Structure formats: C-alpha cells, structure tokens
Amino acid sequence: MASFETVLIESKTLEGVQTDQYTSAGVRTRIHKFTLTNQDAVARAVSVNLIPSGGSAAASNLIVKARNILPGQTYECPELVGQLLASGGKISTIAPAGSSVTCRASGVEIA
C-alpha cells in the first residue's frame, strides 16, 4: 500500500454556493490539515460536508455547520483532521456569497 502526502485543496476563496472542492479519485484520503481564514471585515459562517461516493451534500454528512469565523481569524477545523474519505468521497463547502473566506487543505492519499 503506497501513500502520498499532498495538497488536497490549493488556497482559494470559497464560493457562495455548495461546491465540491476535492474528490478522492481512486484512492482513500486522510485529511491532515484544513484551514479557513476570514479576510473580511465581518464574521462569516462556513459549512463543510464530507460526502460519500455517489452522495450529495446533506445534513447527514455535514461536519462543520455554519462555523462563525471572526474577521481576520484563521480556524484550523479540528473536526476534519484525521477524517478518512473512501474512493469517490468529496469535500464540499459553502460560505456566504461575496465573502472573502479562503481555504486550504492537505492530507495523504492512500492507494
């Protein structure tokens, strides 16, 4: 079994609609770090889903629910650290439209 440390989500501004940010394609993936940074002047609520293969964002796979990130704050999402995605699993996020919340994630892909 081979494993590869990798960036799962390159630094990016999150969208105001539910958006799949990463898909575990042909491997299993363990999340090691997931960071949210609010660059706005007001607090912003961010949600993160870990979606099983073939599924869609739903209350049943919501891991971070409307986490309020204060202006200038960086939140490291301990709820996601160590989580495992099976092949086809996805990381999906939603932030308020027009916000400036950035995200970056890293982990290990296990073949």
Side-chain angles (χ1 to χ4, degrees):
M1 178 175 2
S3 60
F4 306 93
E5 292 183 350
T6 189
V7 174
L8 305 176
I9 304 169
E10 289 287 354
S11 296
K12 64 170 296 200
T13 301
L14 296 180
E15 296 83 358
V17 296
Q18 191 76 45
T19 303
D20 295 343
Q21 304 294 348
Y22 170 82
T23 301
S24 185
V27 295
R28 291 179 304 147
T29 303
R30 183 168 311 276
I31 301 168
H32 281 180
K33 186 90 164 180
F34 195 99
T35 305
L36 298 166
T37 302
N38 182 0
Q39 310 218 21
D40 272 348
V42 297
R44 299 295 185 171
V46 178
S47 294
V48 182
N49 294 71
L50 297 182
I51 304 170
S53 181
S56 59
S60 61
N61 54 46
L62 183 62
I63 306 300
V64 177
K65 181 179 180 181
R67 173 67 187 193
N68 208 29
I69 314 292
L70 300 174
Q73 179 185 24
T74 297
Y75 180 67
E76 295 187 355
C77 301
E79 306 91 335
L80 298 173
V81 173
Q83 294 281 0
L84 185 66
L85 293 172
S87 180
K90 298 177 184 181
I91 300 171
S92 185
T93 62
I94 186 167
S99 69
S100 294
V101 176
T102 57
C103 168
R104 188 171 198 278
S106 60
V108 173
E109 293 180 333
I110 307 159

